[in-house]
Amino acid sequence: MSAGKIEIPKTMTAWVLGGVDELLKVEKPVPEPGPAQVLVKIDAVAICGTDIEVLLHGPPALIEGGPPFNKNFTMGHEYMGRVAKLGPGVDAFKVGDRVSVEIHAGCGQCERCREGMYTSCLNYGANYPGNDKGHRANGFTTDGGFAEFAINHVNTLAHVPDHISDEEATLIVTAGTAMYGLDVMSGLYAGKSIVIIGPGPIGLMAVAVAKALGADPVILTGTRDDRLEMGKKLGADYVINAKKEDPIQAVKKIYPKGVHYVMECSGATNALNEATQMIQRGARICLAAFPGEPYPVDLAYLVRNNVYMYAIRGEGNSATHRAASLISQKRINVKPLHTHTFPMDELPKAFKYARERIDNALKVVVVNKK
Amino acid sequence: MSAGKIEIPKTMTAWVLGGVDELLKVEKPVPEPGPAQVLVKIDAVAICGTDIEVLLHGPPALIEGGPPFNKNFTMGHEYMGRVAKLGPGVDAFKVGDRVSVEIHAGCGQCERCREGMYTSCLNYGANYPGNDKGHRANGFTTDGGFAEFAINHVNTLAHVPDHISDEEATLIVTAGTAMYGLDVMSGLYAGKSIVIIGPGPIGLMAVAVAKALGADPVILTGTRDDRLEMGKKLGADYVINAKKEDPIQAVKKIYPKGVHYVMECSGATNALNEATQMIQRGARICLAAFPGEPYPVDLAYLVRNNVYMYAIRGEGNSATHRAASLISQKRINVKPLHTHTFPMDELPKAFKYARERIDNALKVVVVNKK
Amino acid sequence: MSAGKIEIPKTMTAWVLGGVDELLKVEKPVPEPGPAQVLVKIDAVAICGTDIEVLLHGPPALIEGGPPFNKNFTMGHEYMGRVAKLGPGVDAFKVGDRVSVEIHAGCGQCERCREGMYTSCLNYGANYPGNDKGHRANGFTTDGGFAEFAINHVNTLAHVPDHISDEEATLIVTAGTAMYGLDVMSGLYAGKSIVIIGPGPIGLMAVAVAKALGADPVILTGTRDDRLEMGKKLGADYVINAKKEDPIQAVKKIYPKGVHYVMECSGATNALNEATQMIQRGARICLAAFPGEPYPVDLAYLVRNNVYMYAIRGEGNSATHRAASLISQKRINVKPLHTHTFPMDELPKAFKYARERIDNALKVVVVNKK
Amino acid sequence: MSAGKIEIPKTMTAWVLGGVDELLKVEKPVPEPGPAQVLVKIDAVAICGTDIEVLLHGPPALIEGGPPFNKNFTMGHEYMGRVAKLGPGVDAFKVGDRVSVEIHAGCGQCERCREGMYTSCLNYGANYPGNDKGHRANGFTTDGGFAEFAINHVNTLAHVPDHISDEEATLIVTAGTAMYGLDVMSGLYAGKSIVIIGPGPIGLMAVAVAKALGADPVILTGTRDDRLEMGKKLGADYVINAKKEDPIQAVKKIYPKGVHYVMECSGATNALNEATQMIQRGARICLAAFPGEPYPVDLAYLVRNNVYMYAIRGEGNSATHRAASLISQKRINVKPLHTHTFPMDELPKAFKYARERIDNALKVVVVNKK
């Protein structure tokens, strides 16, 4: 697996944000890994819905007083590749190792990082000259993967075994996010009922992870039959098309006493209110997505039923490592999510496919020539 | 403390719900304690805001298929008294023991009760002929304390030491509810910042409990200066009158990085949105109250900040016992909450004081002649 | 599955303890289920190592002041059957339902039960005339399964689907004990390393459950090759015969940095000390077995490595339900553990096989005629 | 509090280990703080029992392949002082701030650090040329406080308010260790019973912290009346002199059903076995000390009673910050522990007092001239 030395040029081709909805191909210096960092030769990158958001609106708000919008910024956070060079003090990886990445490396110094909640780092975004606490969010606050090389903190890397393809490996971080969402609700899923709302990539991975951990039944709700079919392939015991039947009634028919868990991955305005009607008293809800606008929520229902609601950001708790292990053990099959591959050179076309869901595109991956 | 034998008559005087906003004084048989139950001679009962709700609207919705509204129903759940008679198998208490009560005794059979979450019992309300699973909620689904005697499951009783007055002891369950809310957010408060929204009885008790557990600073927000002053007496380090200054800005001035915890006890429509603006990333929010109507909530803020939100019902996790201990150890002073005492005979007048906040009434207690 | 009415005679055949190492077949009245209880028509019972202990030494010490050794006592706690009659208030099961049982029903009243830790009930053994708190431990403090019928608290029952055989269903409680042990160490096993010491029934089930939850690698140590082979069938990634190689060195060769978890199921005198040498700093150890005598333990190693050690008794936390689900979902295969079946009439012969491991007996099951 | 600029010379006086039981005063360069580090001007250092161990035996075993015993090594880990210089990127402190320190800064990269368990860092000791992962343990694996200046990672610092004396502030880390021990057993102490074995500094601080968190009763056992008296001053409800009465019987007399928690801080050979006899079923034990030799432990008792045992090393979970808050809020009074002060120049004499308990010495503090 460790293919030995990887040649490192002085400069590399990278895609950077131009104006709104504009991707520019430029030549950039190959960066140098610092202490606890690794230079990764990028082999494959999946396009995430968030990438499309960033392309259209710029990166999400950073910490107050943070840096202005960077016109030389490279997006891309769902990537994998090979270790090309080790920074000082790194020995957990060898040059040539295949690795996938997670997005967040916390500052390691704030109260949240000291608790292990590095995706909720209080120094989010603080890694620029004048305020370098060391936080890094690949493709959000630091350069990401739509390039030939990228710097990564060692904490964000997970080994990828040979029997997992490059394209599959780009999906590890998505599976890790789904797993983190399941983590925060509970560690015990065997024999427990769960509804997953929204068959996007995170929702579909949540189906697969929940099933791998023994949840039963796993119920997936959505509005498109092809996605729901994919959910079945990934392990959903039941799927509900919310356009064809009332999802609350349908869940209650399958599991009359109300389910133990709901993981909301759709961002639909009424999803949380629907979730509160599907559950049993003392249930738990995870919000992995959210509507763009505030929406009336029936808080009374949450209080009367003693519901705990976990809103999550990112892929914390080293969940990516555990997801990588389930994929490696063939407990989760990520292959169905991957629908299209383009060369890195055709990134704008790849974005078009992802954005317009051309040809039922789900996960569109771009690859560098090896 | 154990004053020995207590005389038990065949019948007793009890207040029951009549029509809407009508309390009737009737003569009822003194009930007989069953296995794991105790007959309590009631000495004092505090009036809770929920009692006023029940008086005006009837008890909250019970489980589906539950019993119709019971016209012979006695309210009252914040009571204390002395053990008058033991049911079969009870030896944790002796006749004459002074006891306070908590509201909920779970069925002991459902999945939630087997997990220890008895206030979220899945058989809530199921203790009537035809569906007796043994769940009991004093003054909600079973007869409560506005009477001379009441039946209690042993699980709901806590010992009251001699140096705590009857009036103080009626407030133990309120302190227990506040403590349960703090429990579910975290066990570790020493040196952590907390905002408590709403200086009603639960909010004020939350101030006292949070301070007793070492929280620092404890910030209380409200709209009435007299209540905020009381909050200071109970341990608040800072109070904010939301009518006089913007509470979000005021909190940020006191604790610029945003607080660790918010406990919302006001039920104000915008309280949750305010809470989300007062906190740090990775904070936790407890909802102990809720607005009557659905209200637009900015879920994006919760997700972006990885916020866990715990909506609670009741006084679970044996928190009442721990609250009783803090009161007994003089770590919490509940006395300031108690403002008025009336004889049980004058219950309607006591309700009037509580409801109209006559003479700045906060906790109004009714007492039986001893 | 619900085969409808089951005939209930006045008396039944039951095996009871005679003198030491003596089992007597007697005729007993069929007991009557009380509130929250069910009468089970027993179909199959597995013999547990503890049964052999009880046969030779009498039941383990009960609470102080408990009842004397009962000469009419029926052992047997790993049983399954069909619901024959419902006690008052029970509707979670129907007559004819196939059910497996767990051992412990807590009193529901003590501090431990109120926390959900019913297998650690503080009223263990208190269910006899003069001290009936309602605790029940099937086959230990109440009559068990080596009979035609047995009473069970509803909390101890789990549904058994049709596609699981009677013999398999008797092993659910063993799988539940293994799962409880895994529960208390952590909820998160995906991609984590674990050593299981001792390939007895609980150790073998721990292998299967850990693997089902995604642990990797699962390493089993023991002294008999046939048992280790069975471990492989159940999911062990590596097996180590401690008679042929040093288990500490062998584990370190497989997982050089020391494993995350050890579950000790052997009861060997030096097992805990071995465990402490196999682990990484911050690891967790579960003791599911223990040596008969105190043995020198190197506590310094535990402290220096910040090790948490969980000694468990029983199958708490509703783990049996979750284990039943994994078995039902075919995530765990219990079949290899079952080696022999005898008719209930031949119980002494079945005990002989189990005790002397005749014909490599592992789990010996006795069955009633249907 | 921030006294502005602090003069930093090129060299400083420091005590270093010579041969066995030999402390040498030398002149050393003042070190330079790196990224995320701070130079501390040391004002006061308390002598810990571990310092005496190190003086006699050298530092405890480091990780395999670690550095040889360093003859220029400065001990001392219970120190406080003022921030003299900030390393790059540090803005959580200002020059002149009064600070106390905790011992451990984890590497921030290993699995344990990513979980927040930095005192159990898997790279313990790895901060020397050739293997610098960044772990630091003040006075153990890096130079400590018996000097004029010391380098500290920002994670180890906590603010000290003006109303806390230098001597008191040296005890914050001891209180933090006690609090960490209480943390790992449970977050909920109000009204719970606890026995603390061993009235050394950690045991006495455990008394104070447990009481501050609401434990009741707090029972302290030991062998010396003066220490037990001090325990009473710090909050113990009961003290037991194990030389004068059997501590197991004495605890059972005070709390007949057995206590909820035991924290063992004595290191006595039989302490764990005693602990197991003092507890109730389902209790938890923390080992904060250990005997020098393996000792026979009755594991059967732990298993039969479902006991969880937490062996701890250090002062993790940011407990030092919470302890500092309790001290700052006057919830804990550390003053009684401090018995003697010497100038830093007389360190060998101070060690003699600490070691031989001259004049009932408990915490002996050495101070630099300001």
Side-chain angles (χ1 to χ4, degrees):
Chain A
M1 179 166 54
S2 304
K5 205 165 168 323
I6 289 176
E7 216 159 311
I8 304 171
K10 287 258 162 66
T11 65
M12 64 177 182
T13 306
W15 289 94
V16 299
L17 286 180
V20 169
D21 202 3
E22 187 186 23
L23 283 167
L24 303 174
K25 193 157 68 173
V26 301
E27 199 71 10
K28 268 186 180 180
V30 173
E32 188 68 21
Q37 294 182 340
V38 158
L39 181 70
V40 175
K41 169 87 185 77
I42 292 168
D43 287 325
V45 195
I47 295 173
C48 175
T50 319
D51 291 321
I52 297 167
E53 292 295 309
V54 174
L55 179 61
L56 298 179
H57 306 297
L62 305 180
I63 58 165
E64 271 180 67
F69 185 68
N70 170 5
K71 286 288 186 179
N72 203 33
F73 173 69
T74 297
M75 293 195 298
H77 53 275
E78 299 184 348
Y79 59 91
M80 61 75 60
R82 284 160 292 153
V83 172
K85 190 175 181 180
L86 304 173
V90 176
D91 58 11
F93 294 88
K94 293 187 310 296
V95 169
D97 280 0
R98 291 178 79 217
V99 290
S100 74
V101 302
E102 56 186 297
I103 301 164
H104 297 84
C107 73
Q109 300 172 34
C110 72
E111 194 176 347
R112 227 41 8 95
C113 282
R114 287 205 311 269
E115 293 168 346
M117 291 181 68
Y118 54 85
T119 52
S120 298
C121 177
L122 298 176
N123 286 313
Y124 188 94
N127 65 327
Y128 51 90
N131 191 16
D132 191 353
K133 295 290 195 313
H135 174 272
R136 298 176 63 87
N138 296 327
F140 290 100
T141 67
T142 63
D143 280 336
F146 294 126
E148 289 182 273
F149 292 91
I151 293 293
N152 266 84
H153 191 279
V154 287
N155 283 9
T156 63
L157 302 179
H159 282 105
V160 175
D162 284 343
H163 66 275
I164 302 299
S165 75
D166 287 1
E167 288 82 354
E168 288 172 84
T170 64
L171 296 170
I172 287 174
V173 67
T174 307
T177 303
M179 182 167 260
Y180 178 53
L182 292 166
D183 279 3
V184 297
M185 283 198 288
S186 168
L188 304 179
Y189 285 97
K192 302 289 179 178
S193 53
I194 185 167
V195 168
I196 290 151
I197 302 178
I202 292 176
L204 288 168
M205 279 293 96
V207 165
V209 176
K211 202 65 207 170
L213 297 177
D216 186 43
V218 174
I219 304 170
L220 175 66
T221 74
T223 56
R224 297 197 298 155
D225 283 332
D226 57 330
R227 288 289 177 93
L228 294 170
E229 273 313 301
M230 189 170 295
K232 275 192 179 170
K233 277 184 208 152
L234 290 166
D237 297 296
Y238 301 90
V239 297
I240 295 167
N241 188 326
K243 286 206 171 145
K244 299 185 181 167
E245 55 183 331
D246 175 57
I248 298 166
Q249 294 312 314
V251 165
K252 284 290 181 74
K253 208 162 62 184
I254 295 165
Y255 208 78
K257 61 184 173 178
V259 296
H260 296 80
Y261 301 106
V262 176
M263 185 154 170
E264 156 31 18
C265 306
S266 74
T269 44
N270 203 35
L272 177 55
N273 286 324
E274 279 181 16
T276 64
Q277 304 289 322
M278 293 169 172
I279 56 173
Q280 57 185 248
R281 195 177 287 246
R284 300 183 183 183
I285 294 173
C286 175
L287 289 191
F290 53 87
E293 298 294 318
Y295 190 82
V297 174
D298 189 357
L299 298 177
Y301 206 92
L302 294 172
V303 174
R304 285 205 188 102
N305 287 287
N306 205 87
V307 173
Y308 302 158
M309 188 176 87
Y310 303 85
I312 60 155
R313 173 174 194 152
E315 69 301 320
N317 204 16
S318 295
T320 300
H321 292 257
R322 283 175 284 121
S325 176
L326 289 180
I327 292 170
S328 175
Q329 292 180 66
K330 305 281 186 195
R331 300 295 182 96
I332 298 179
N333 178 14
V334 298
K335 276 183 196 166
L337 264 70
H338 167 234
T339 54
H340 293 77
T341 302
F342 293 95
M344 182 74 82
D345 270 354
E346 297 181 20
L347 185 63
K349 184 173 168 194
F351 261 82
K352 187 178 163 68
Y353 267 68
R355 198 165 153 183
E356 300 174 14
R357 293 175 175 174
I358 294 171
D359 192 20
N360 280 325
L362 213 176
K363 269 295 177 192
V364 177
V365 174
V366 292
V367 296
N368 276 313
K369 262 175 294 186
K370 289 205 187 180
Chain B
M1 180 166 56
S2 303
K5 205 166 168 325
I6 290 175
E7 216 159 311
I8 304 171
K10 287 259 163 65
T11 65
M12 64 178 182
T13 306
W15 289 94
V16 299
L17 286 180
V20 169
D21 202 4
E22 187 186 24
L23 285 166
L24 304 174
K25 193 157 69 174
V26 301
E27 200 70 10
K28 269 187 181 180
V30 173
E32 188 67 22
Q37 294 182 341
V38 158
L39 182 70
V40 176
K41 170 88 184 77
I42 292 168
D43 286 324
V45 194
I47 294 173
C48 175
T50 318
D51 290 321
I52 298 167
E53 292 295 310
V54 173
L55 180 61
L56 298 178
H57 306 297
L62 305 181
I63 57 163
E64 269 179 68
F69 185 70
N70 169 5
K71 287 286 186 181
N72 204 33
F73 172 71
T74 297
M75 293 196 297
H77 53 275
E78 300 185 348
Y79 59 90
M80 61 77 59
R82 285 160 292 154
V83 172
K85 189 175 181 181
L86 305 172
V90 176
D91 58 11
F93 294 88
K94 294 187 307 296
V95 169
D97 280 359
R98 290 179 79 218
V99 288
S100 75
V101 303
E102 56 186 296
I103 302 164
H104 297 85
C107 72
Q109 302 171 32
C110 73
E111 195 177 346
R112 225 44 4 97
C113 282
R114 286 204 313 267
E115 293 168 346
M117 292 181 68
Y118 54 86
T119 52
S120 298
C121 176
L122 298 176
N123 286 314
Y124 188 94
N127 65 326
Y128 51 91
N131 190 15
D132 191 353
K133 297 289 196 313
H135 175 272
R136 298 177 63 87
N138 295 327
F140 290 100
T141 67
T142 63
D143 279 336
F146 294 125
E148 289 181 273
F149 292 90
I151 292 294
N152 267 83
H153 193 278
V154 287
N155 283 10
T156 64
L157 302 179
H159 282 105
V160 175
D162 284 343
H163 66 275
I164 302 298
S165 74
D166 287 0
E167 288 83 353
E168 289 172 83
T170 63
L171 296 169
I172 287 174
V173 67
T174 308
T177 302
M179 182 166 259
Y180 177 54
L182 292 166
D183 280 2
V184 297
M185 284 197 287
S186 170
L188 304 179
Y189 285 96
K192 303 290 180 179
S193 53
I194 185 167
V195 168
I196 290 151
I197 302 178
I202 291 177
L204 289 168
M205 279 293 96
V207 165
V209 176
K211 201 67 206 169
L213 297 176
D216 186 44
V218 174
I219 304 169
L220 175 66
T221 75
T223 56
R224 297 197 299 156
D225 283 331
D226 57 330
R227 289 290 178 92
L228 295 170
E229 273 315 299
M230 188 170 294
K232 275 193 179 169
K233 277 184 209 153
L234 291 166
D237 297 295
Y238 301 92
V239 296
I240 296 168
N241 187 325
K243 286 207 170 143
K244 299 184 181 168
E245 55 183 331
D246 175 56
I248 297 166
Q249 294 312 313
V251 166
K252 285 290 179 75
K253 207 161 64 186
I254 295 165
Y255 208 78
K257 61 184 175 179
V259 296
H260 295 81
Y261 301 105
V262 177
M263 186 153 167
E264 155 35 14
C265 305
S266 74
T269 44
N270 204 35
L272 177 55
N273 286 324
E274 279 181 16
T276 64
Q277 305 288 322
M278 293 169 172
I279 56 172
Q280 57 184 247
R281 196 177 285 247
R284 299 182 184 184
I285 295 172
C286 176
L287 289 190
F290 53 87
E293 296 294 318
Y295 190 83
V297 174
D298 189 357
L299 297 178
Y301 206 92
L302 294 172
V303 174
R304 285 204 189 102
N305 287 287
N306 205 88
V307 174
Y308 302 158
M309 188 176 88
Y310 303 84
I312 60 155
R313 173 174 195 153
E315 69 302 318
N317 204 16
S318 294
T320 300
H321 293 257
R322 283 175 284 121
S325 177
L326 290 180
I327 292 169
S328 175
Q329 293 180 66
K330 306 281 187 194
R331 301 294 182 96
I332 298 179
N333 178 13
V334 299
K335 276 183 194 163
L337 264 69
H338 168 233
T339 53
H340 293 77
T341 301
F342 293 94
M344 182 74 83
D345 269 356
E346 297 180 20
L347 185 63
K349 184 174 169 192
F351 260 84
K352 186 177 164 69
Y353 267 67
R355 197 165 152 184
E356 300 174 14
R357 295 174 175 176
I358 294 172
D359 191 20
N360 281 326
L362 215 177
K363 269 295 178 191
V364 177
V365 174
V366 292
V367 297
N368 276 314
K369 263 175 295 186
K370 289 204 188 184
Chain C
M1 181 167 53
S2 304
K5 206 166 168 321
I6 289 175
E7 216 159 312
I8 304 172
K10 288 256 163 66
T11 64
M12 64 179 182
T13 305
W15 289 94
V16 299
L17 286 180
V20 169
D21 202 4
E22 186 186 25
L23 285 166
L24 303 173
K25 192 156 71 173
V26 301
E27 200 71 9
K28 269 187 180 180
V30 173
E32 188 66 22
Q37 293 183 341
V38 158
L39 181 71
V40 176
K41 169 88 184 77
I42 291 167
D43 287 324
V45 194
I47 295 173
C48 175
T50 318
D51 291 321
I52 297 168
E53 291 294 309
V54 174
L55 180 60
L56 299 179
H57 307 296
L62 305 181
I63 57 164
E64 272 180 65
F69 185 70
N70 170 5
K71 287 287 188 181
N72 203 33
F73 173 69
T74 297
M75 292 196 298
H77 52 275
E78 300 185 348
Y79 59 90
M80 62 76 59
R82 284 160 292 152
V83 171
K85 189 174 181 182
L86 305 173
V90 177
D91 57 10
F93 295 88
K94 295 188 307 296
V95 169
D97 281 359
R98 289 178 80 218
V99 289
S100 74
V101 303
E102 55 186 297
I103 301 164
H104 297 84
C107 73
Q109 301 172 33
C110 71
E111 194 177 346
R112 224 47 2 99
C113 281
R114 288 205 311 269
E115 294 168 345
M117 291 181 69
Y118 54 86
T119 52
S120 298
C121 177
L122 298 176
N123 286 313
Y124 189 94
N127 66 326
Y128 51 92
N131 190 15
D132 191 353
K133 296 290 195 314
H135 175 274
R136 298 177 62 89
N138 296 327
F140 290 99
T141 66
T142 63
D143 279 336
F146 295 125
E148 288 183 274
F149 292 90
I151 292 294
N152 268 83
H153 192 279
V154 287
N155 283 10
T156 63
L157 301 179
H159 282 105
V160 175
D162 284 342
H163 65 276
I164 302 298
S165 73
D166 286 1
E167 288 83 354
E168 289 172 83
T170 63
L171 296 170
I172 287 174
V173 67
T174 307
T177 303
M179 181 167 260
Y180 178 53
L182 292 166
D183 279 3
V184 297
M185 285 198 287
S186 169
L188 304 179
Y189 286 96
K192 301 289 180 179
S193 52
I194 186 167
V195 168
I196 290 150
I197 301 178
I202 292 177
L204 289 167
M205 278 294 96
V207 165
V209 176
K211 201 66 205 170
L213 297 176
D216 186 43
V218 174
I219 304 170
L220 175 66
T221 74
T223 56
R224 296 198 297 155
D225 283 332
D226 58 329
R227 288 289 178 94
L228 294 170
E229 273 314 300
M230 189 171 294
K232 275 193 180 170
K233 276 184 209 151
L234 290 166
D237 297 296
Y238 301 92
V239 296
I240 295 168
N241 188 326
K243 285 206 170 143
K244 299 185 181 166
E245 54 183 331
D246 175 58
I248 298 166
Q249 294 312 314
V251 166
K252 284 290 180 74
K253 208 162 64 184
I254 294 166
Y255 208 77
K257 61 184 174 179
V259 296
H260 296 80
Y261 302 105
V262 176
M263 186 154 170
E264 160 25 22
C265 306
S266 75
T269 44
N270 203 35
L272 176 54
N273 286 324
E274 278 181 14
T276 64
Q277 304 288 324
M278 292 169 172
I279 55 173
Q280 56 185 250
R281 195 177 285 248
R284 299 182 183 182
I285 295 172
C286 175
L287 289 191
F290 53 86
E293 297 294 318
Y295 190 82
V297 174
D298 188 358
L299 297 177
Y301 206 93
L302 294 172
V303 174
R304 286 204 188 102
N305 287 287
N306 205 89
V307 173
Y308 302 157
M309 187 175 87
Y310 302 84
I312 60 155
R313 174 174 194 151
E315 69 301 320
N317 204 16
S318 294
T320 300
H321 292 257
R322 283 176 284 121
S325 177
L326 290 180
I327 292 169
S328 175
Q329 293 180 64
K330 306 280 185 195
R331 300 294 181 98
I332 297 180
N333 179 13
V334 299
K335 276 184 195 165
L337 264 70
H338 168 234
T339 54
H340 293 76
T341 301
F342 293 94
M344 182 74 82
D345 271 354
E346 298 180 20
L347 185 63
K349 183 174 169 192
F351 261 83
K352 186 178 164 69
Y353 267 67
R355 197 166 154 183
E356 300 175 13
R357 294 175 175 174
I358 294 171
D359 190 19
N360 281 324
L362 215 176
K363 269 296 179 192
V364 177
V365 174
V366 292
V367 296
N368 276 312
K369 264 176 293 187
K370 290 204 188 183
Chain D
M1 179 166 57
S2 303
K5 207 168 166 323
I6 289 176
E7 218 160 309
I8 304 171
K10 288 258 161 66
T11 64
M12 64 178 182
T13 307
W15 289 94
V16 298
L17 286 181
V20 168
D21 202 4
E22 187 186 24
L23 283 166
L24 304 173
K25 192 157 71 174
V26 301
E27 199 70 12
K28 267 186 182 181
V30 173
E32 188 66 23
Q37 294 182 340
V38 158
L39 181 70
V40 175
K41 170 88 185 77
I42 291 167
D43 286 325
V45 195
I47 295 173
C48 175
T50 318
D51 291 321
I52 297 167
E53 291 295 309
V54 173
L55 179 61
L56 298 179
H57 307 295
L62 305 179
I63 58 165
E64 271 179 65
F69 185 69
N70 170 4
K71 287 285 186 182
N72 203 33
F73 172 71
T74 297
M75 292 195 299
H77 54 275
E78 299 185 349
Y79 59 90
M80 62 76 58
R82 285 161 291 155
V83 171
K85 189 174 180 181
L86 304 172
V90 176
D91 59 10
F93 294 88
K94 294 187 309 296
V95 169
D97 280 0
R98 289 179 80 218
V99 289
S100 74
V101 304
E102 56 186 296
I103 302 164
H104 296 85
C107 73
Q109 300 170 33
C110 72
E111 194 177 346
R112 224 47 2 99
C113 282
R114 287 204 313 268
E115 292 167 347
M117 292 182 69
Y118 53 86
T119 52
S120 299
C121 177
L122 298 177
N123 287 313
Y124 188 95
N127 64 326
Y128 51 90
N131 190 15
D132 191 353
K133 296 289 195 314
H135 174 272
R136 298 177 63 87
N138 295 327
F140 290 100
T141 67
T142 64
D143 280 336
F146 294 126
E148 289 182 274
F149 291 90
I151 292 294
N152 267 84
H153 192 279
V154 288
N155 283 11
T156 63
L157 302 179
H159 283 105
V160 175
D162 284 344
H163 66 276
I164 302 298
S165 73
D166 287 1
E167 288 82 354
E168 289 172 82
T170 63
L171 296 170
I172 288 174
V173 66
T174 307
T177 302
M179 182 167 260
Y180 178 54
L182 292 167
D183 280 2
V184 297
M185 283 198 288
S186 169
L188 305 178
Y189 285 97
K192 302 291 179 177
S193 53
I194 184 167
V195 169
I196 290 151
I197 302 178
I202 292 177
L204 289 167
M205 279 293 97
V207 164
V209 177
K211 200 66 205 170
L213 297 176
D216 188 42
V218 174
I219 304 169
L220 175 66
T221 75
T223 57
R224 296 196 300 153
D225 283 331
D226 58 330
R227 289 289 178 92
L228 295 170
E229 273 314 299
M230 188 170 294
K232 274 193 181 169
K233 279 184 209 153
L234 292 166
D237 297 296
Y238 302 92
V239 297
I240 296 167
N241 188 326
K243 286 207 171 144
K244 299 185 181 166
E245 54 184 331
D246 175 57
I248 298 166
Q249 294 312 313
V251 166
K252 285 290 180 75
K253 207 161 64 185
I254 295 165
Y255 208 77
K257 61 184 174 177
V259 296
H260 295 81
Y261 301 106
V262 177
M263 185 154 169
E264 154 35 15
C265 306
S266 74
T269 43
N270 203 36
L272 176 55
N273 285 324
E274 279 181 16
T276 63
Q277 304 289 323
M278 293 170 172
I279 57 173
Q280 57 185 247
R281 195 177 285 247
R284 299 182 184 184
I285 295 172
C286 175
L287 289 190
F290 52 87
E293 298 293 319
Y295 190 83
V297 174
D298 188 357
L299 298 177
Y301 206 92
L302 295 171
V303 173
R304 283 204 190 102
N305 286 287
N306 205 86
V307 174
Y308 302 158
M309 187 177 88
Y310 303 85
I312 60 155
R313 173 174 196 152
E315 69 302 319
N317 204 17
S318 294
T320 300
H321 292 257
R322 283 174 284 121
S325 177
L326 290 180
I327 292 170
S328 175
Q329 293 180 65
K330 306 280 186 195
R331 300 296 182 95
I332 298 180
N333 178 13
V334 299
K335 276 183 195 164
L337 264 69
H338 168 233
T339 53
H340 293 77
T341 300
F342 294 94
M344 182 75 81
D345 269 355
E346 298 180 19
L347 185 63
K349 184 174 168 192
F351 261 82
K352 188 177 163 66
Y353 268 67
R355 197 165 151 185
E356 299 174 13
R357 294 174 175 177
I358 295 172
D359 191 21
N360 280 326
L362 214 176
K363 268 297 177 190
V364 178
V365 173
V366 292
V367 296
N368 276 312
K369 264 176 292 188
K370 288 204 188 182

